[in-house]
Amino acid sequence: MAEKIKITLEYIINSSPRILFPYLLEPNELAQWFADDVIYHDGIYEFIWDDETHRARLASSKDNKFVRFKWIDDEPNFFEMEIVQDELTNDVALAITDYAKEENVDDKKKIWDNSISYLQSVIGA
């Protein structure tokens, strides 16, 4: 099995952490931008893309700061979304940590670019 490479991306989001955070954690809000649908049941998030389901657990989170999801079928891989706020300017960014096989890194980055564009339009950022 090919080793996966860590990907770190950062996007400026014109929103407060308090408004942004539910879109990183809540199934209904995640379904508006991250996946076609998100179902939460018994501690498991089911992310659905193109009729394909991928299951993850919320590994950790801190209110208005970050969420980390651990894939159940692809352990030990996870993805994390962290809200970063500049202390001087109060600008808000969303830092993404994800993993992909080397040949899929560019595609994974494009998927995140598109997803974050959807997020920005959903929250009006």
Side-chain angles (χ1 to χ4, degrees):
M1 184 168 195
E3 196 66 26
K4 291 193 175 183
I5 297 170
K6 183 177 181 178
I7 303 168
T8 305
L9 305 166
E10 190 168 301
Y11 301 90
I12 298 298
I13 307 286
N14 294 317
S15 175
S16 74
R18 185 181 51 77
I19 291 171
L20 178 58
F21 187 73
Y23 288 91
L24 310 182
L25 180 67
E26 299 296 329
N28 289 339
E29 282 78 357
L30 281 163
Q32 291 183 46
W33 71 276
F34 184 69
D36 297 337
D37 198 9
V38 180
I39 299 166
Y40 178 81
H41 185 67
D42 289 338
I44 304 291
Y45 287 77
E46 291 185 8
F47 297 100
I48 302 165
W49 291 279
D50 298 327
D51 296 324
E52 211 176 281
T53 300
H54 300 274
R55 300 172 343 125
R57 288 189 194 285
L58 181 65
S60 60
S61 70
K62 184 174 181 182
D63 282 351
N64 301 326
K65 188 69 178 150
F66 78 93
V67 295
R68 176 183 284 190
F69 290 97
K70 188 168 236 173
W71 294 114
I72 292 172
D73 303 325
D74 192 19
E75 293 195 53
N77 291 306
F78 67 90
F79 69 96
E80 182 175 280
M81 297 179 280
E82 179 182 5
I83 299 169
V84 181
Q85 190 165 19
D86 186 285
E87 291 180 17
L88 294 176
T89 64
N90 280 331
D91 289 345
V92 173
L94 187 59
I96 306 294
T97 302
D98 201 354
Y99 292 83
K101 293 178 184 170
E102 188 170 355
E103 64 270 18
N104 298 334
V105 168
D106 287 340
D107 289 340
K108 183 75 92 159
K109 287 179 180 179
K110 287 176 188 168
I111 289 168
W112 276 111
D113 289 349
N114 289 335
S115 294
I116 298 301
S117 286
Y118 288 134
L119 173 62
Q120 290 171 323
S121 67
V122 166
I123 63 175

